[in-house]
């Protein structure tokens, strides 16, 4: 009987009901409920007068935009990089050089410029013509250069003597056999445009050299301090070159780097060698691209309110006006309001749908932007000037989904909160802009992170659902609230 009594007490003391388990562990103040809502978003196309000419690549060529019929011309300027730890060994010691003129002075046997092409748009067989001009003075890195900056009009080009050279080229080297070109492409070979710089050259002081390479060689031995770094080199020896498209249509090249190559001979012990010195124009020094196009043709797209546009390099952006007030204080169908000012927005998702092409445009000329930056209207220019990265508060990044034909920003809740906190402080306090961008990443064994974000310079275009006269489903933002009880 005692055993039965003990078992009865034990069973009655165990309650298997779990409906109040969470409440027993959580304070009443921590309880919350979830609410959702959607709101229409208003969009329009805006003209981009120009974009910051800071990119990993430069652009050279001229193509026709099949969407507008206008011609886009790309010209670029580059300076040349010298690494400080390699400056003392650019050329061999002077007493070893055996390339000499009749007076016993060192000379370069030859000099070339090579333009390495990362990618191209258009026809690689197209014959193009460019003018290569030496700069009269270096462009300074303490100012911002946009794609509407023209070095020629601004007086940066050397007018007399110096380098003034016309070069006819096509991207595909027809001298090579098909089999050799196939081997090159399989080995990550860069297509390149190569031309000699072996004409007589006169420097700014009036000294004459048999070619540009000899000028560099002698300056190196006369003033080695001019070659200690890129700054000294550009200020005292080579301020840079401007590559300008002057004829041809149907090719736009994306330049990976520009290289000056100097060949000479030297003797080490009893053996004779061919020496080669290179000076590279890369992203480590100042490079600018100048684009020109007919703005009138772009304006016709901007006024089209049946959709919105994204065009690069210096074309059209999409401006987005977010309904911040409605998100915070929502009007119901019966005229009443729901106050969300003290609620937490846990998610705010917006999807932009790319419209199918209305005409058969060449994918080689007009591809859709791979990346879109959403940035507050007030920081549209300073974002790029400050070399900023998306912070998920005032700037976000989206990738194009070819499967869904969309750009999706999964959660811009931080932006909503930021805008509401700064309500009315500027005219564009509730607006963001969608900008085509180029993104570079850095990878480790565990992750991939965004390293740089710059304005897209390739010719790209996309039509998005939206505009004041949108005939499709409206652009909407979906919001999830968490409300404390």
């Amino acid at each position: 009987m005692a055993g039965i009594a003990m078992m009865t007490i034990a069973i009655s003391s165990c309650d298997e009901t779990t409906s109040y388990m969470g409440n027993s562990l959580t304070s009443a103040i921590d309880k919350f409920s979830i609410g959702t809502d959607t709101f229409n978003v208003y969009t329009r196309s805006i003209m981009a007068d120009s974009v910051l000419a800071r990119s990993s690549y430069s652009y050279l060529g001229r193509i026709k935009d099949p969407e507008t019929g206008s011609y886009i011309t790309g010209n670029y300027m580059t300076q040349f990089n010298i690494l400080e730890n390699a400056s003392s060994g650019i050329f061999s010691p002077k007493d070893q050089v055996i390339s000499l003129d009749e007076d016993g002075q060192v000379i370069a046997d030859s000099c070339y410029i090579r333009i390495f092409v990362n990618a191209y748009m258009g026809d690689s067989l197209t014959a193009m013509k460019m003018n290569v001009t030496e700069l009269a003075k270096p462009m300074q890195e303490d100012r911002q250069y946009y794609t509407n900056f023209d070095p020629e009009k601004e007086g940066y080009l050397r007018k007399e003597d110096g380098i003034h050279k016309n070069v006819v080229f096509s991207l595909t080297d027809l001298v090579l056999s098909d089999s050799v070109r196939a081997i090159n492409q399989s080995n990550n070979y860069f297509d390149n445009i190569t031309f000699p710089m072996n004409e007589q050259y006169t420097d700014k002081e009036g000294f004459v050299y048999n070619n540009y390479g000899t000028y560099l060689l002698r300056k190196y031995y006369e003033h080695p301090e001019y070659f200690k770094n890129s700054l000294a080199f550009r200020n005292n020896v080579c301020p840079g070159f401007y590559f300008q498209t002057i004829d041809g249509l149907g090719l736009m090249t994306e330049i990976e780097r520009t290289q000056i190559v100097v060949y000479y001979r030297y003797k080490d012990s009893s053996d004779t060698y061919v020496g080669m010195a290179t000076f590279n124009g890369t992203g480590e020094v100042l490079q600018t691209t100048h684009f020109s196009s007919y703005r009138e043709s772009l304006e016709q797209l901007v006024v089209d309110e049946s959709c919105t546009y994204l065009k690069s390099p210096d074309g059209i952006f999409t401006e987005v006006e977010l309904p911040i007030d409605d998100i915070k204080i929502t009007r119901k169908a019966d005229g009443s309001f729901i106050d969300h000012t003290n609620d937490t927005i846990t998610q705010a998702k917006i999807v932009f749908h790319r419209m199918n092409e209305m005409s058969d445009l060449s994918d080689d000329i007009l591809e859709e932007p791979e990346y879109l930056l959403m940035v507050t209207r007030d920081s549209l220019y300073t974002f790029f000037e400050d070399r900023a990265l998306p912070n998920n508060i005032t700037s976000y990044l989206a990738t194009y989904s070819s499967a869904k034909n969309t750009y999706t920003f999964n959660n811009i809740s931080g932006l909503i909160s930021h805008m509401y906190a700064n309500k009315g402080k500027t005219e564009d306090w509730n607006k963001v802009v969608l900008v085509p961008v180029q993104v570079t990443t850095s990878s480790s064994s565990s992750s991939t992170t965004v390293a740089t974000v710059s304005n897209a310079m390739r010719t790209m275009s996309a039509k998005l659902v939206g505009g004041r006269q949108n005939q499709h489903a409206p652009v909407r933002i979906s919001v999830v609230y968490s409300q404390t009880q």
Side-chain angles (χ1 to χ4, degrees):
M1 293 293 292
I4 294 173
M6 292 295 293
M7 290 179 63
T8 302
I9 295 172
I11 293 172
S12 64
S13 66
C14 295
D15 186 355
E16 295 183 357
T17 302
T18 59
S19 60
Y20 298 101
M21 181 178 292
N23 292 341
S24 65
L25 298 176
T26 306
S27 170
I29 197 172
D30 293 328
K31 299 176 185 178
F32 62 90
S33 62
I34 301 297
T36 63
D37 211 337
T38 58
F39 305 89
N40 288 347
V41 172
Y42 300 100
T43 62
R44 69 184 183 107
S45 300
I46 60 174
M47 181 77 76
D49 175 64
S50 59
V51 297
L52 188 64
R54 181 193 295 144
S55 172
S56 301
Y57 302 104
S58 303
Y59 294 84
L60 177 70
R62 180 182 291 124
I63 58 175
K64 183 178 181 179
D65 182 346
E67 192 169 38
T68 64
S70 67
Y71 297 100
I72 303 172
T73 302
N75 310 310
Y76 79 99
M77 183 285 307
T78 186
Q79 297 173 354
F80 295 90
N81 187 32
I82 291 181
L83 300 176
E84 291 197 24
N85 58 3
S87 61
S88 60
I90 295 175
F91 293 103
S92 301
K94 185 177 181 180
D95 57 5
Q96 294 182 3
V97 177
I98 59 173
S99 295
L100 306 172
D101 64 10
E102 60 275 10
D103 297 323
Q105 296 190 72
V106 295
I107 59 172
D109 295 326
S110 61
C111 180
Y112 292 84
I113 284 184
R114 291 196 182 108
I115 301 173
F116 292 90
V117 178
N118 178 66
Y120 69 92
M121 293 141 278
D123 188 353
S124 63
L125 296 175
T126 300
M128 304 293 294
K129 187 177 183 180
M130 66 175 164
N131 179 263
V132 182
T133 308
E134 180 186 6
L135 267 63
K137 56 185 178 180
M139 295 168 64
Q140 302 299 320
E141 295 190 1
D142 58 355
R143 63 166 291 182
Q144 306 291 349
Y145 295 96
Y146 281 74
T147 51
N148 60 358
F149 181 87
D150 188 343
E152 182 178 20
K153 291 182 179 180
E154 297 294 332
Y156 277 83
L157 304 189
R158 194 172 170 189
K159 297 297 184 181
E160 299 177 358
D161 298 322
I163 301 295
H164 296 274
K165 186 179 181 68
N166 289 336
V167 178
V168 177
F169 69 94
S170 64
L171 185 56
T172 297
D173 187 354
L174 296 177
V175 176
L176 300 177
S177 65
D178 292 340
S179 59
V180 172
R181 285 199 296 270
I183 293 173
N184 289 339
Q185 291 172 357
S186 65
N187 291 324
N188 296 322
Y189 170 82
F190 279 101
D191 287 320
N192 65 87
I193 304 163
T194 301
F195 55 91
M197 299 276 284
N198 294 324
E199 301 84 359
Q200 181 175 283
Y201 173 75
T202 304
D203 69 10
K204 295 177 183 177
E205 286 74 34
F207 294 104
V208 179
Y209 306 85
N210 69 313
N211 61 41
Y212 191 75
T214 297
Y215 163 71
L216 296 177
L217 197 63
R218 292 184 185 175
K219 281 292 184 183
Y220 179 78
Y221 295 127
E222 292 169 5
H223 295 282
E225 70 276 12
Y226 292 172
F227 292 75
K228 67 179 181 179
N229 54 40
S230 302
L231 179 62
F233 185 67
R234 82 170 187 216
N235 288 336
N236 298 286
V237 181
C238 176
F241 287 92
Y242 188 53
F243 300 84
Q244 183 178 23
T245 303
I246 58 176
D247 200 4
L249 175 66
L251 177 68
M252 181 69 73
T253 56
E254 185 176 74
I255 310 302
E256 190 269 341
R257 70 182 184 276
T258 306
Q259 187 180 77
I260 301 174
V261 186
V262 181
Y263 293 98
Y264 63 98
R265 286 163 292 133
Y266 68 97
K267 182 170 288 188
D268 187 4
S269 298
S270 58
D271 297 322
T272 299
Y273 301 93
V274 175
M276 181 181 74
T278 59
F279 303 85
N280 290 290
T282 61
E284 286 75 26
V285 291
L286 183 62
Q287 299 180 105
T288 65
T289 298
H290 168 61
F291 284 107
S292 61
S293 59
Y294 295 108
R295 311 300 293 176
E296 292 78 6
S297 59
L298 292 176
E299 291 172 356
Q300 295 176 5
L301 300 183
V302 171
V303 298
D304 179 5
E305 295 188 340
S306 65
C307 63
T308 66
Y309 287 87
L310 299 168
K311 289 185 73 67
S312 65
D314 55 347
I316 304 174
F317 301 152
T318 289
E319 181 185 86
V320 182
E321 182 178 344
L322 296 171
I324 305 300
D325 284 336
D326 292 340
I327 291 173
K328 286 293 185 177
I329 302 179
T330 304
R331 179 190 292 271
K332 298 176 65 176
D334 60 4
S336 61
F337 294 89
I338 301 177
D339 189 347
H340 293 292
T341 54
N342 294 322
D343 297 337
T344 300
I345 299 176
T346 57
Q347 186 179 31
K349 179 180 179 180
I350 185 168
V351 180
F352 296 95
H353 294 264
R354 175 176 175 262
M355 297 174 63
N356 294 328
E357 298 297 339
M358 302 302 293
S359 60
D360 185 16
L361 303 179
S362 170
D363 290 336
D364 293 333
I365 299 296
L366 286 180
E367 58 185 6
E368 67 281 340
E370 181 180 3
Y371 297 100
L372 273 193
L373 174 73
M374 175 187 286
V375 63
T376 54
R377 185 71 172 84
D378 294 326
S379 58
L380 173 60
Y381 295 101
T382 56
F383 176 90
F384 298 102
E385 292 178 354
D386 295 341
R387 302 176 186 267
L389 296 175
N391 59 14
N392 292 333
I393 299 176
T394 59
S395 53
Y396 298 79
L397 199 63
T399 305
Y400 175 66
S401 170
S402 58
K404 298 181 179 180
N405 213 23
T406 57
Y407 298 92
T408 301
F409 296 89
N410 283 303
N411 193 357
I412 60 170
S413 58
L415 175 67
I416 304 300
S417 300
H418 170 82
M419 285 183 165
Y420 191 70
N422 291 274
K423 178 181 176 180
K425 290 185 178 180
T426 66
E427 182 181 355
D428 299 316
W429 66 273
N430 61 341
K431 297 182 179 68
V432 292
V433 180
L434 304 181
V435 184
V437 291
Q438 173 189 329
V439 175
T440 61
T441 59
S442 58
S443 300
S444 64
S445 58
S446 59
S447 64
T448 299
T449 59
V450 174
T452 65
V453 176
S454 58
N455 288 105
M457 295 289 189
R458 301 186 72 175
T459 51
M460 295 185 287
S461 181
K463 294 170 65 174
L464 302 181
V465 171
R468 296 288 180 176
Q469 298 178 8
N470 173 34
Q471 300 299 312
H472 304 274
V475 182
R476 310 205 79 188
I477 183 170
S478 303
V479 180
V480 176
Y481 305 93
S482 62
Q483 305 164 321
T484 59
Q485 295 181 341

